[in-house]
Amino acid sequence: MDENTVFEINDFTNVTDMESFGAAFESILQKHVSFGRRPFLPNDVKYKMVVTATNFVKVGTRTVQIELLQPVANSSSEHVFNHPDDENEGENKNPEIDESIVVPFTATKEMQFHEDVFLSHDDLTVKFGVRECILISSSDDSDNFTDESQYNIIVGEIKTVIHMTGCEIPVFCYIKEKTLDFIQGYASDGNECINFTSSVLRNINKRHCNLHDLLLIFKEHLGAGSSAFHDDVRICSRFTHIVKLRKSKYHRLYTTDSFTRLANGLVDTLPFDTIQIVATWKGFRENSLTENHNYSDFDVNYASYWSVKINPSKNIFGVFDEILGVYSDNKRKQIKTDITCGDILEKHYVQQTTTNAFQKLTVNSASDVRFGNSHQSDREGTTGPVAPAIIQAWVDFIFQGHFSNDHFSDELQLMNDSNVYSKDASHNDIKIDEDLENLFNCPNISSSNDFLAPYKCAKKDTTTWRLAVALANVRVYMRSEPHAEPQLWIEFLLQLRKKYENMEDVEIVPNGIDHTLCGFSQKMQMIQLCINARKKRHAILDCAHMDKNDEFFDASETFRKNEICESDVMGRREKSSMMLIGDPELPMYLPITQDPCPLTDEMIDQRNSHLFSLEEEARVNEQMELILSDMQSFKAANPSAVFADFLRWHSPKDYNEKTETISERMLIPNNVWLRSWDNTKPVPAVNQKRIFNYTKIAEETFEQFENATLETVRQWIKPTVFAATLERMAEIESAYETLEDKKAQKVKIAKTLANATQNIVMADYNTISNYCCQSEIIHNMKIYLIHLFEKARESMEPPLPSNEDIRKAVKSLVNKTVANIWENSGLTETDYIVKPQEPIGRALAVLCQVDKITEKQLLNSERKEYIFSWILKNSAATGHKLFYRMYADLRSDKHSLYFANNSDCNFFSSSFI
Amino acid sequence: MSDDSSSPLTTLKILITGESGVGKSSLMLRFVDDVFDPEQAATIGVDFRVTSMAIDGNRVKLAIWDTAGQERFRTLTPNYYRGAQGVICVYDVTSRSSFEKLNHWMMEVDTYCTSNNIIKMVVANKIDMMNRVVSREEGLKFAKRHRTLFIEASAKTKEGVQCAFEELIEKIIQTPDLWENDRPAFRLGDTPDENGGGMCGC
């Protein structure tokens, strides 16, 4: 043979698309699969199918996706059964099958009757019984196998490869779109084979919707074997019922109790409105249960077990989402927030009446201002979003922590009556809302969790804290009225100004500005310090005919300086034990001195950057204020004192009493200390220029407050709102013990918030926001479920479910829902399985009003599924056992049948290749 | 931003505190300008110097804040802690009272500093003086108890000054949480031990 012939052979092996597909498929099998007998898994369905390999193979112009699905042990399977039923375990093994002869073909073994198959979450396990398979589908939805002939070509190739390699894993192939669930498959061990087929119907023939008719279909499908019915068909079935609870609309009720607490609970819908009960009948033989057009034995109360889940409402978010949402989501900002609160109100209400009102701060209260149309102006107070009595109560709460307003409860009732209920609300619904409102409010807070993490926010029980709570609450309470929030801010400012003018306390300041608190809290403390300084100044200026009612006292203050009482002229505080060096006859008097100006963080930053920008000399001069003031005071108190005397008082390190010498550094010629001393005149503190110019600082702060945009206001109270939310979260959780001990998580969250508040880390705030919102949703669900269970228990006959039973049930139900909603919840979705005749099952039946499910509903429940299984003990050809299986999935819009037929006549052989 | 390799990695704020007359300004001036003036005037309020140094090949800009030690200015010092990454508490080895007041200064650091893991250093100054009354062991013991860095120095003879600052800056650079702008989320299990017990080898 010459070389050319070899070339010709190469040329000849011009592979077809199918051949190249076959080769690719084979190489995939070689790579991922071990051939021959597959391991058989114990039949307890604690496995889930996981895609372990995905490959894409080109067939002509089309790309097909080949996935290998393999069973992985489900680690959280301990929750599968609430009460494991030991007596059933023996039935898992079918005693009629003699396993001793040969190691069986796993695919046939898996399709044998297995009564717990409905506990599996895997589609293909339910449909065909398999727990391991290769799945072929079109990688692109627009490019499906549109007919069976295309499928047959592919499957033909696959069969060839399977037989060649001895791969015993079933191979499935989707025809048309995946969502149609039209799937065919094949498996073989060389001797016998299984054909998997399906038929999906959209136009449903009502005749084939019950057990009786489906059984006929199954038997017809058995074909040849049907003559040999010496054994019963075994069946299991599963009916899905969706039970509607009351309508999901929920109305928040306003109560005096809830008024002063950070709002929590539901926004406007109940956490869920339907409960899904999936009633399963484990294996039974044909004729033991009947179902036909007119009659059904499938009474939901007598199912083998229920798998129950709650279906969350569309809007499951709670109030915390409403409160914290404005900080993370721009969409939720219902009004423009980048303009001042005054402007917000102005824009939406009659302009000429509000312009003056909010610019002139001497107005007593915004409640005196009338908004709205003129025909309403004869009504008492404001026609703005928040009624005068309510807003007054809120302002009183902010400043005093409590309120007493006679009109308040009437107004509250009015609010509840008018906006809240439409006419169709039934008395019962209102009652439930009241019950829930009470539940969410947690009237009995057993222990309040005080986080020790150092949040940089206002302290609890301060005005700032209450302001943050009130501003958050007003947003929740007046959800439909976004202008309520700016209105409250303006009312707060007016009251703050009033209190400042009257020198009433507005905030707790124990010991100077607390720099560990947030910026806004520091501003409030500053106002209080300004008030304190004013009080002190007034006390020093001990003048008889001061007009206490004069609101413009500050303006006239400078003119009264000459009226200072004679006794204070020296500005002496106390006599010291030292005698003056300047005049040894006289004792040294310690002078009354001025306090340095308190500074907020913001002011410190400004001052520091200013100092930083100066040259050294200017910097020193800038900081001389306090020393000059001290020198003036000291000279006034001790007219005959010398520089050494000043040092003995002010900087004792710089004067050696033993050697009676001044330190070297203070003796440097023309140093700033000496120079200043020489140039200072004696002036008692009271007559000096004020170091803490409280009038100026207070006015500047007020100006900031008045000109703040709504967004700024929200940012100011942000750290406090977040801390208050976490605190409230801890309160409500401890009140109902709804959350298991999650101390580590709580500590972590507390630390995250501490970091967020201290370093203004947006990501950390978002973490807290998500945590609070999710926790509240979970809490709301639990509270509502507990409420439903307890209500149900009231109308039950003994034996009643214990609190522990209810707690467990609630936990399982909620965990399942949570795992469904958030993938990252860390919870695995496990079924909540309950037996209908147990106390908790009966409670569920009452709760869902299962007794009201009618015969008709039973016959047409949401979804009905059946699995039929039959064994032909002696096949005609080989005398082997052959297995037949049919799964029927009946839904309102789609009926699907899935067949798995075992055959020992394996006509397909690899021989023709 | 330019790719200029000389652009500093970060700017660090270092605060120097301690009793009046222990030599805070002298230490700063020795480090920044390499000068010593025995007649250094008493600081009024706060004084600054800006300098830069190279640590592990990175240039770091330093803003050194020198505070006044006198009682009268003490109400102001809390203001200066804002944003500081390192604090140097100085005492005078010839003055026991300045050593005894260290407790007060450490407490102030813990109260007012804004970073959780601010780096603290105790510097024993004036070791060139003959009339020492506070021993090295006492200083070391104090530093260990408060988990701070410790070094003995003399602004007059230069001894230990450069080393003190270098040690402090290095420690800060090793704690990126202190100076990185995009701070990672709060890490659990951060032990404060990292900051303690260090000692300069020179």
Side-chain angles (χ1 to χ4, degrees), chain A residues 42 46 66-67 118 151 187 209 240 310 385 388 397 431 480 531 552 557 567 613 615 619 640 664 699 735 858:
Chain A
K46 288 180 179 178
I66 300 173
E67 290 170 307
F118 277 136
Y151 159 81
C209 293
T240 303
I310 50 180
F397 160 67
K431 178 77 183 65
S480 53
I531 293 169
F552 297 96
E557 191 180 0
S567 57
S613 68
E615 289 298 314
R619 190 156 65 213
S640 48
E664 279 179 42
E699 287 308 323
L858 276 178

Side-chain angles (χ1 to χ4, degrees), chain A residues 594 596 599 601 604-605 608 612 619 623-624 627 630 650-651 653-654 665 668 672-673 748 751 755 759, chain B residues 20-21 39-40 42 44-50 63 65 70 72-73 75 79 82 116 183 186 188:
Chain A
Q594 287 204 61
L599 299 169
D601 285 353
I604 291 171
D605 289 343
N608 286 349
F612 221 93
R619 190 156 65 213
Q623 300 184 83
M624 284 303 291
I627 292 174
D630 286 350
H650 200 276
S651 181
K653 274 268 172 82
D654 285 299
R665 64 176 183 179
I668 303 165
V672 67
W673 294 77
K748 191 179 163 195
K751 284 186 172 182
N755 192 43
N759 301 304
Chain B
S20 168
E39 294 186 349
Q40 173 67 36
I44 288 169
V46 68
D47 192 14
F48 319 96
R49 282 291 184 284
V50 180
W65 293 50
Q70 279 143 345
R72 184 58 174 147
F73 294 111
T75 45
N79 301 344
R82 267 179 69 70
N116 298 317
R183 300 162 56 89
F186 209 97
L188 283 175

Side-chain angles (χ1 to χ4, degrees), chain A residues 525-632:
Chain A
Q525 291 179 61
M526 180 57 91
I527 291 192
Q528 179 61 46
L529 288 177
C530 291
I531 293 169
N532 290 350
R534 271 189 78 179
K535 277 195 210 161
K536 195 173 161 190
R537 187 83 171 177
H538 281 220
I540 292 171
L541 296 170
D542 183 26
C543 299
H545 39 266
M546 194 165 64
D547 186 356
K548 287 207 165 66
N549 294 326
D550 185 358
E551 285 200 20
F552 297 96
F553 166 76
D554 277 320
S556 56
E557 191 180 0
T558 47
F559 302 109
R560 295 174 199 272
K561 276 197 173 167
N562 298 333
E563 298 172 26
I564 301 156
C565 306
E566 283 298 309
S567 57
D568 280 332
V569 79
M570 308 287 276
R572 287 172 175 170
R573 186 159 52 88
E574 58 180 302
K575 202 194 277 185
S576 83
S577 56
M578 292 184 279
M579 302 306 274
L580 290 176
I581 297 168
D583 186 348
E585 301 287 303
L586 292 174
M588 182 196 287
Y589 285 95
L590 305 185
I592 295 170
T593 53
Q594 287 204 61
D595 291 331
C597 180
L599 299 169
T600 62
D601 285 353
E602 202 178 290
M603 292 159 81
I604 291 171
D605 289 343
Q606 275 171 13
R607 187 184 140 88
N608 286 349
S609 64
H610 171 63
L611 286 179
F612 221 93
S613 68
L614 297 174
E615 289 298 314
E616 188 165 353
E617 197 179 328
R619 190 156 65 213
V620 170
N621 287 339
E622 193 83 2
Q623 300 184 83
M624 284 303 291
E625 198 177 28
L626 202 60
I627 292 174
L628 289 176
S629 155
D630 286 350
M631 285 177 175
Q632 288 177 338

